[in-house]
Amino acid sequence: MKNKRNFLVLLFILFAAIITAGCSDTDEANSGDNENEAKGEKAAEQVLNIANDQEPAGLDPHKTPAHSSIRIYSQIYEGLLRFDENMEIEGQLAKEWEQPDDTSYVFHLKEGVKFHNGREMTADDVVYSFERILDEETASHIASYFSNVETVEAEDTYTVKFTLSEPDATFLSYLTNASAVVVPQETVEENEDLQQVAIGTGPFKLEEWVPDNHVTLVRNEDYYVEDQPKLDQVVYNTMKEESSRLSAIRTGEVDMTTLSAKSASLLEDQEGLNILDYQSLEYSYVGFNVDKEPFNDEKVRQALSLATDRQSIADIVWDGDAVISGPVAPSMGDWAIDVTEEELYQRNVDKAKELLAEAGYPDGFTTEITTASTYPDMVDTAQLLQQQWKDIGVEATIKQIEWGEYIDTWSNTSADILVGRNGSGTDPDRSLNYFFNTEGSANVWNFSNDNFDQLVEKGRETLDIEKRKEIYVEAQEEIINLSPNLFLVSPMNYVAVRDNVEGFTPYPHNGEEITEVFKK
């Protein structure tokens, strides 16, 4: 009996243990399910959907200037420096720097920063990146920013030295540019370029790019800045039609989108939405291929300027939410001149006809205006110019092309007249040197003027701020008179944001910052 009783006790203990183990496994499984559900809820809450007006034109930061690309690759890549919210320069990949003399800069890098492939970023990567920017074969759109750089050297693993050929007042500000970033050499060599791949050090990693549909970024779990980013995933949805973006933000399909002034006004009283606005650093323009007749004659370009009613463009295209602008947008403050006082900004049809006659076109001429079909403001601007220029005998047809073809047309100077938008940047040198110096990386107009080149080069070399301002006043007046572009208006920018999105503040110099954004 004793042995039987012991056996039954042992059997009971074993049975209880099995039941307990089963319950424990079930509880753990349920606990795991609960944790996964919690994580699922968090992931769902922390996915930000953005409606984009354009497809990226490529993701290589050293080669692609399109804003549709910058807004994405600026989340993936980082440079040595950046601007803070007050437009003060601060370190990004560089923790500190010094300037031993007027032509040398030494940067000390943050340690332990990793590329998205897991490799540590070092001074050698900085050297490679800037050598790539300056290599003619790269054809980088920012090469002229760093044309004064003679050498870039890695002094040790975390120290890099730049030596310039002459003093350069723009050097530090240009290091904040979204394209002046550090890339890994092995990724470039494996893929030939970075147009379809992206490996940076930034807060987000590229997960997927489905052409004409969406780009998905995911949180960089190894990001070196504590508690950033807040979001787990960002999806950039391509919605070229503004009506589609308007509908998507209303219904909550997307959390954020840029809108025109007209569309923004339609959402002012929409429940669940906030409309944020800020004066942009952009301006709209008309660009001429000055190698082609009749635009190789500055009198023709001046005549078209005199025939242009810029205030009508501000009122009609931008619903009055734009200011008349020169090459340096008014939001740059004291760097910009008051262009409304310039003679070529006063609409004068009689004077315009006189200039056309002096240039050999007393009866006007026919031409074609090219613009991007997916930007309504560009199309509307082209149509207004078409109407206004008729008054001086210029008959213009309008050619609307898709965004990819538009970028190619811009870079190849394959249009006689191009309507578009440019950014003034954060230093007047970009507005003037970058776009209009004979050697400027973005001088796609075949424009060249020795006196202007000397002016902007002097402005770049001058370290005294007040003297620089005097030089750039003269340079702005000069380029307006020569008119390789007609500078039109600088618009307000509008962003519609769902009211459950926190931490988003657009700035004139950076309307895309999302590292502190989260959804409540």
Side-chain angles (χ1 to χ4, degrees), residues 192-365:
E192 295 186 1
D193 62 25
L194 300 169
Q195 294 291 40
Q196 302 297 321
V197 297
I199 301 291
T201 62
F204 293 97
K205 302 187 292 187
L206 176 65
E207 180 179 76
E208 180 182 54
W209 178 5
V210 179
D212 295 316
N213 191 287
H214 69 271
V215 176
T216 301
L217 307 182
V218 295
R219 187 177 191 271
N220 177 9
E221 298 291 348
D222 290 327
Y223 194 48
Y224 60 94
V225 180
E226 189 175 358
D227 296 328
Q228 284 190 2
K230 311 293 186 186
L231 297 165
D232 297 310
Q233 188 179 82
V234 186
V235 183
Y236 293 90
N237 302 277
T238 302
M239 297 182 177
K240 297 180 181 179
E241 298 296 326
E242 186 161 53
S243 58
S244 299
R245 300 195 300 276
L246 195 61
S247 174
I249 193 68
R250 276 175 164 158
T251 61
E253 179 185 348
V254 300
D255 304 299
M256 184 186 303
T257 186
T258 56
L259 292 170
S260 67
K262 292 177 182 177
S263 291
S265 65
L266 298 175
L267 298 176
E268 286 179 352
D269 299 321
Q270 179 83 30
E271 187 176 351
L273 285 180
N274 295 313
I275 308 300
L276 308 179
D277 60 48
Y278 60 98
Q279 183 63 52
S280 75
L281 285 164
E282 290 184 320
Y283 61 84
S284 57
Y285 70 87
V286 183
F288 303 109
N289 182 347
V290 301
D291 270 356
K292 295 282 189 73
E293 292 184 357
F295 309 110
N296 58 343
D297 191 326
E298 69 184 60
K299 289 184 178 180
V300 170
R301 305 192 299 266
Q302 290 168 344
L304 292 173
S305 186
L306 288 166
T308 299
D309 185 344
R310 291 167 172 83
Q311 189 58 53
S312 289
I313 293 171
D315 293 340
I316 296 171
V317 175
W318 300 99
D319 207 28
D321 284 338
V323 292
I324 295 173
S325 180
V328 179
S331 53
M332 287 188 67
D334 291 345
W335 293 108
I337 65 172
D338 182 3
V339 292
T340 62
E341 300 297 318
E342 297 295 315
E343 181 182 359
L344 290 177
Y345 274 67
Q346 317 307 316
R347 191 165 198 259
N348 188 332
V349 170
D350 292 337
K351 178 66 174 176
K353 288 180 177 179
E354 286 178 21
L355 287 172
L356 282 185
E358 290 173 16
Y361 302 94
D363 300 319
F365 55 87

Side-chain angles (χ1 to χ4, degrees), residues 16 49 70 80 86 126 142 154 163 185 199 221 255 260 280 302 370 381-382 394 429 491 498:
N49 278 283
I70 293 172
L80 293 173
N86 300 312
V126 179
I142 60 169
T163 303
Q185 181 174 356
I199 301 291
E221 298 291 348
D255 304 299
S260 67
S280 75
Q302 290 168 344
T370 301
T381 298
V394 174
D429 180 78
R498 301 294 305 180

